[in-house]
Amino acid sequence: MSSSVSSRGFRVFGWSTLLYTLAVVLWGAFVRATGSGAGCGDHWPVCNGEVVPRAPTLQTLIEYTHRVTSGLAMILAVVLCVWGLRAHAKGHPVRKAAVFSLVFMVTEAALGAGLVLFKMVAGNESLARAWWMAAHLINTFLLVGAMALTCWWAGGRERLTWRQQGLTGWLVGGSVVGLLVLGVSGAIAALGDTLFPASSLADGFRQDISPTAHVLLRLRVLHPVLAALMGALVVFSATTVARLRPSPEVKQAAMQLGVLYGMQLVVGLVNLVLLAPVWMQLVHLLMADVVWIVLLRLGAAGLAEGAPRADEHPAPAPSPT
């Protein structure tokens, strides 16, 4: 049985909150790519000891803008959670997704504060910063995913279940984990591009294979390899899930996922050839978020309780006596 459709106001607010959060995520990447993470010093939540900086530099303005917009995103997540709980009956999937949206927004803020307070910003080249970036990326994906699923279930779709899903469950779960791993490698590669910019494609390749290269450069080379491998996994999983759960929504998501991932590979190649300019890094990140959202939509539709199953056949009718 499908869940009840949320009010139009809630659905519009949910999508607006998701789109705004994506914009804040992209601005956060802009902060990292421009080396502006230390624009407010090691102070948080104040900026250089002031609530409103009086004589800000450009880097301070970039970082301070990110903090202000992130604060608004937190308010929107609170409203989404409270509205989702009050407007939906117990058991409605929107309730849980809205709560997780707020939880991951809180942990997102905590990770952002930790980056500043522990000075894991600007020119910090430590391996610890890579771990922080990995945690930040995973949390960002989970945050965006929870909001996307809130919007998905607000449309009246059935809740998902992992029970007795067989190969479909394994393919969806494997693809989700695979994209998280790929995202982490992308975050580390982007950090390497920021800290160790190359003057040419050949120079970047020499940096990566040099025996004296920094560990972030050695990790950077893994990203394109993982991107190709994960692409094969995602496309195989999407086509197989579309065959095993042949609903129109699953088929549409599978087609979109294949097209979007192909586009993402092209964007990644262009980003590599152009030596990762800031604007291309943002496009690459946005595409990654869109691919992630479509994968979750595929999983939510394919694992829905009432999804049609091509791998199950009705029991044969008893023979007449």
Side-chain angles (χ1 to χ4, degrees):
M1 174 181 281
S2 298
S3 304
S4 61
V5 179
S6 305
S7 67
R8 183 176 184 276
F10 181 83
R11 285 182 281 127
V12 171
F13 182 79
W15 281 109
S16 299
T17 300
L18 173 60
L19 292 175
Y20 179 80
T21 300
L22 285 172
V24 174
V25 169
L26 292 178
W27 190 260
F30 183 74
V31 172
R32 187 266 311 152
T34 57
S36 303
C40 287
D42 56 356
H43 300 85
W44 193 94
V46 296
C47 184
N48 291 322
E50 301 173 325
V51 176
V52 178
R54 297 179 182 178
T57 64
L58 178 59
Q59 289 186 334
T60 300
L61 284 174
I62 292 173
E63 168 64 9
Y64 188 73
T65 300
H66 182 54
R67 294 191 184 189
V68 172
T69 54
S70 297
L72 178 56
M74 177 68 74
I75 295 173
L76 294 177
V78 171
V79 174
L80 183 70
C81 180
V82 174
W83 193 351
L85 290 174
R86 291 179 63 87
H88 300 85
K90 289 185 177 180
H92 199 292
V94 161
R95 291 170 61 92
K96 185 177 292 186
V99 169
F100 274 116
S101 297
L102 179 56
V103 169
F104 290 130
M105 183 65 78
V106 172
T107 52
E108 185 85 344
L111 286 166
L115 285 169
V116 173
L117 295 175
F118 291 103
K119 301 180 180 180
M120 298 293 171
V121 292
N124 187 313
E125 301 176 0
S126 67
L127 186 59
R129 185 180 180 185
W131 285 107
W132 275 92
M133 295 294 295
H136 206 2
L137 184 283
I138 291 174
N139 192 86
T140 298
F141 266 27
L142 294 178
L143 167 62
V144 170
M147 287 187 172
L149 290 177
T150 301
C151 298
W152 172 259
W153 283 316
R157 278 91 173 188
E158 293 175 309
R159 75 187 69 195
L160 65 81
T161 178
W162 290 95
R163 294 181 180 180
Q164 298 180 340
Q165 292 288 1
L167 179 60
T168 299
W170 285 104
L171 290 174
V172 171
S175 296
V176 167
V177 173
L179 277 194
L180 286 175
V181 173
L182 178 60
V184 167
S185 71
I188 294 174
L191 179 60
D193 291 333
T194 300
L195 295 175
F196 308 101
S199 58
S200 66
L201 191 60
D203 178 52
F205 182 70
R206 283 193 296 268
Q207 285 182 332
D208 293 344
I209 65 173
S210 171
T212 59
H214 192 280
V215 63
L216 291 177
L217 291 176
R218 295 185 181 183
L219 292 173
R220 182 173 67 179
V221 74
L222 294 177
H223 182 60
V225 176
L226 285 175
L229 293 176
M230 288 304 108
L233 171 63
V234 166
V235 171
F236 170 78
S237 298
T239 54
T240 304
V241 171
R243 178 174 56 82
L244 297 176
R245 302 289 186 269
S247 71
E249 289 178 329
V250 172
K251 291 180 178 179
Q252 182 186 55
M255 180 187 67
Q256 292 175 345
L257 191 58
V259 172
L260 286 170
Y261 200 94
M263 293 172 59
Q264 174 71 324
L265 289 177
V266 173
V267 169
L269 180 60
V270 173
N271 187 53
L272 179 65
V273 172
L274 296 182
L275 305 179
V278 173
W279 67 273
M280 274 303 302
Q281 291 186 45
L282 300 185
V283 172
H284 199 28
L285 176 59
L286 178 60
M287 286 292 299
D289 286 326
V290 173
V291 167
W292 170 250
I293 290 171
V294 175
L295 173 63
L296 293 184
R297 196 182 76 177
L298 171 76
L303 300 176
E305 290 179 341
R309 299 192 174 202
D311 52 348
E312 290 184 358
H313 305 282
S319 57
T321 56

